[in-house]
Amino acid sequence: MDTGTATLKDAVSATFREWTTRISDTHYVLGSVMGPAPFPEIVRDFQAVISKEIKQQLHDLCGKLPDAVIACVGGGSNAIGSFYNFINDPSVRLIGCEAAGRGIDTNETAATISTGKIGIFHGMKSYFCQDEYGQIAPVYSISAGLDYPGIGPEHAYLHDIGRAEYVAITDDEAVEACEYLSRTEGIIPAIESAHAVSYAMKIAPKMSKDQIIVITISGRGDKDVAAIARYKGENLYE
Amino acid sequence: MNSIREAFQNGKAFIPFITCGDPTLETTKKLAIAMEEAGADIIELGIPFSDPTAEGPVIQDANIRALSNHITTDDIFAMVADLRKEVRVPLVFMTYANVIFSYGTEKFASECKRIGICGLILADVPFEEKKEFSSVFDKYGVDLISMIAPTSNDRIAVIAREAKGFLYCVSSLGVTGIRTDITTDVGAMISNAKKNTDIPCAIGFGISTPEQAAEMASKSDGIIVGSAIVKICAKYGENCVPYVAEFVKTMKKAIS
């Protein structure tokens, strides 16, 4: 990508532009629950297998629902997949973790629900990081997978009706959680998934031992270790 | 101030597009005045947007140049209010949904009426979603210009029936930009539209030479030219005015 701010939103725009030349034989499904209808629903329906399996496996294992389901949110595909089959189970807390980047009070953030407002962009009406004149804001996160200035419209809806909670996790917190899970469990989570791990670490001490938290580890972190090393000041390149 | 309908009564209409604030708002104002003198019948003013998804590289760059000067919607309203005192041709805005939605659609429409903007083109609002904007703009007498494209097929009739101001006929698939050949059967698109509306039909996208202008004008009521003009603005910056005026004169002559 070398147009605009050279981030995910510019890649999406470039793909839209390319798609307009080949509409007759091509559909454009963004790799998330975003874009014009019905694509967010199509992607959600496929991703919903995550919560279907969580529900089934927990039922087989202990015969109950989880108390909380936590997933990271950029556009929000793994999160909506993790939430979907629990939306009608009000006892299950649904928590999406956005990328706060260097903090939601800085300009280097991608936390859409925390810092954005409603807008219309890329074929959807949802929350977007933008300035007072509607110019889409440049966003930042240590995780390239989370640096999109918007969030899927179904998340915006779940937020507005109060069914799901959205919290912002900083780069520092995500890196710390990534290292913690790697060290203690031997699981290296993707840096985006580490945002969800971080929030689980915050709420677990306040819960009782027989309560269940499910964290969606949406990707593996071997792709991120060099970037994390650089983040910590090492001069390491792949 | 002339109406859009009157603008199509001076032979085939020539409709140039420029991006407001590229490279300065003062240049935009001078350009509009010079383009009217050179024969422009309607002037299309782009309000820059950070992510202009319908634009090819030439107009994308113009948006970036304008925004890097921190041009805002309010600055543009002030410039147009000033410009309106000096030009008689209809002025229409071209922009993207979020620019208007975030400003407040009602407030934006009322500003358009106050400063004398008579139409609005929203590149990322399809016909099926237009009510969100047209229901408000109708109240202020500002036409939301509808577009038809080579893929509109069966939708042409319904779009044309509800069209206001003029119907914007997109010549080719893809984004704005200079094309060496326009291969779509634009004539068929327009005759289909004409069966369903009596408002003027103008062709845009890809037109850059006098020969293309003449050919496209022969099939329609007017032509819209953007990238070829913005390219001149990019080349000469603040000194672009006489070069653009010369180009507009040549194009208007080609379609007369």
Side-chain angles (χ1 to χ4, degrees):
Chain A
M1 248 351 282
D2 54 11
T3 59
T5 55
T7 61
L8 182 55
K9 70 161 176 142
D10 303 292
V12 172
S13 295
T15 313
F16 270 123
R17 292 185 184 113
E18 172 63 19
W19 171 69
T20 58
T21 66
R22 49 185 76 224
I23 287 172
S24 61
D25 61 3
T26 309
H27 290 287
Y28 174 32
V29 189
L30 279 83
S32 192
V33 284
M34 300 191 301
F39 296 110
E41 293 149 276
I42 292 172
V43 175
R44 175 256 280 154
D45 286 350
F46 286 125
Q47 294 284 336
V49 70
I50 302 171
S51 49
K52 189 178 170 188
E53 290 190 4
I54 294 170
K55 204 170 196 175
Q56 182 65 53
Q57 289 178 22
L58 265 183
H59 177 80
D60 295 349
L61 215 61
C62 49
K64 57 182 198 174
L65 290 168
D67 293 278
V69 176
I70 309 180
C72 65
V73 181
S77 58
N78 94 79
I80 207 77
S82 305
F83 297 170
Y84 188 65
N85 287 288
F86 297 113
I87 290 173
N88 294 323
D89 299 312
S91 68
V92 183
R93 280 179 73 185
L94 305 175
I95 305 166
C97 300
E98 302 190 301
R102 298 193 207 279
I104 56 171
D105 48 358
T106 73
N107 288 328
E108 292 175 287
T109 179
T112 309
I113 296 272
S114 304
T115 67
K117 58 176 184 169
I118 296 176
I120 300 170
F121 182 51
H122 280 161
M124 58 186 155
K125 184 186 265 183
S126 188
Y127 287 93
F128 292 97
C129 300
Q130 54 187 304
D131 75 8
E132 60 173 313
Y133 287 99
Q135 306 294 343
I136 303 301
V139 290
Y140 162 80
S141 160
I142 187 174
S143 163
L146 301 181
D147 72 351
Y148 183 79
I151 188 168
E154 195 163 355
H155 285 294
Y157 176 70
L158 292 176
H159 168 262
D160 285 359
I161 63 168
R163 178 60 192 99
E165 307 158 50
Y166 294 86
V167 297
I169 301 295
T170 63
D171 286 356
D172 283 346
E173 292 170 322
V175 167
E176 188 194 333
C178 182
E179 291 182 329
Y180 177 82
L181 194 67
S182 306
R183 205 164 46 231
T184 55
E185 300 289 342
I187 298 168
I188 307 173
I191 191 64
E192 51 268 34
S193 316
H195 288 70
V197 176
S198 173
Y199 198 69
M201 290 164 63
K202 287 185 187 182
I203 64 167
K206 298 175 198 155
M207 295 169 70
S208 69
K209 279 196 187 312
D210 59 346
Q211 286 187 297
I212 298 168
I213 302 174
V214 176
I215 310 166
T216 301
I217 305 293
S218 53
R220 43 194 279 182
D222 24 354
K223 69 177 175 59
D224 297 315
V225 289
I228 291 172
R230 288 196 295 280
Y231 182 77
K232 296 182 68 94
E234 300 293 333
N235 188 20
L236 179 63
Y237 288 86
E238 287 146 292
Chain B
M1 178 173 79
N2 300 339
S3 69
I4 289 180
R5 190 166 283 279
E6 284 166 337
F8 283 88
Q9 282 158 5
N10 171 32
K12 305 282 181 174
F14 183 71
I15 308 173
F17 166 92
I18 51 175
T19 300
C20 293
D22 169 31
T24 66
L25 280 175
E26 195 48 39
T27 313
T28 304
K29 196 178 148 196
K30 286 183 194 158
L31 273 173
I33 294 166
M35 291 195 301
E36 177 181 47
E37 277 173 19
D41 297 291
I42 296 176
I43 295 171
E44 189 184 327
L45 297 168
I47 301 180
F49 181 49
S50 53
D51 299 82
T53 42
E55 311 297 354
V58 171
I59 299 178
Q60 281 177 50
D61 288 347
N63 281 267
I64 292 169
R65 285 194 295 275
L67 289 175
S68 64
N69 294 331
H70 307 288
I71 304 292
T72 69
T73 309
D74 283 318
D75 297 335
I76 292 167
F77 286 153
M79 182 273 292
V80 172
D82 215 18
L83 173 65
R84 190 71 275 178
K85 296 172 200 151
E86 307 198 35
V87 298
R88 292 191 54 77
V89 293
L91 302 173
V92 301
F93 275 145
M94 185 272 155
T95 191
Y96 290 80
N98 205 46
V99 169
I100 291 170
F101 182 79
S102 77
Y103 195 85
T105 305
E106 188 92 31
K107 193 173 147 206
F108 190 100
S110 107
E111 282 292 279
C112 285
K113 183 179 178 186
R114 182 181 70 81
I115 63 178
I117 287 285
C118 46
L120 177 71
I121 299 162
L122 286 178
D124 60 346
V125 176
F127 175 78
E128 289 74 6
E129 304 288 341
K130 75 169 181 165
K131 281 219 164 46
E132 167 137 14
F133 296 97
S134 63
S135 62
V136 179
F137 280 89
D138 283 352
K139 284 196 293 181
Y140 292 89
V142 178
D143 293 331
L144 184 64
I145 310 282
S146 289
M147 306 175 96
I148 57 171
T151 48
S152 299
N153 304 325
D154 296 346
R155 292 162 70 240
I156 290 179
V158 54
I159 294 171
R161 274 199 291 274
E162 290 188 25
K164 294 198 168 164
F166 65 90
L167 187 63
Y168 192 130
C169 307
V170 176
S171 74
S172 317
L173 293 180
V175 292
T176 59
I178 294 161
R179 288 168 173 78
T180 43
D181 292 307
I182 294 171
T183 53
T184 312
D185 188 355
V186 199
M189 273 168 66
I190 289 182
S191 64
N192 188 352
K194 291 267 185 198
K195 282 181 211 144
N196 295 282
T197 182
D198 60 357
I199 66 166
C201 297
I203 305 176
F205 278 44
I207 304 170
S208 64
T209 66
E211 294 73 29
Q212 286 174 321
E215 195 201 338
M216 290 297 131
S218 72
K219 299 172 177 175
S220 65
D221 304 306
I223 59 159
I224 303 154
V225 175
S227 294
I229 291 171
V230 172
K231 215 173 155 180
I232 300 172
C233 300
K235 185 171 174 190
Y236 296 102
E238 289 180 49
N239 302 318
C240 66
V241 180
Y243 300 95
V244 170
E246 194 53 41
F247 179 78
V248 170
K249 215 173 278 175
T250 308
M251 295 296 264
K252 178 68 183 175
K253 196 172 159 217
I255 62 174
S256 297

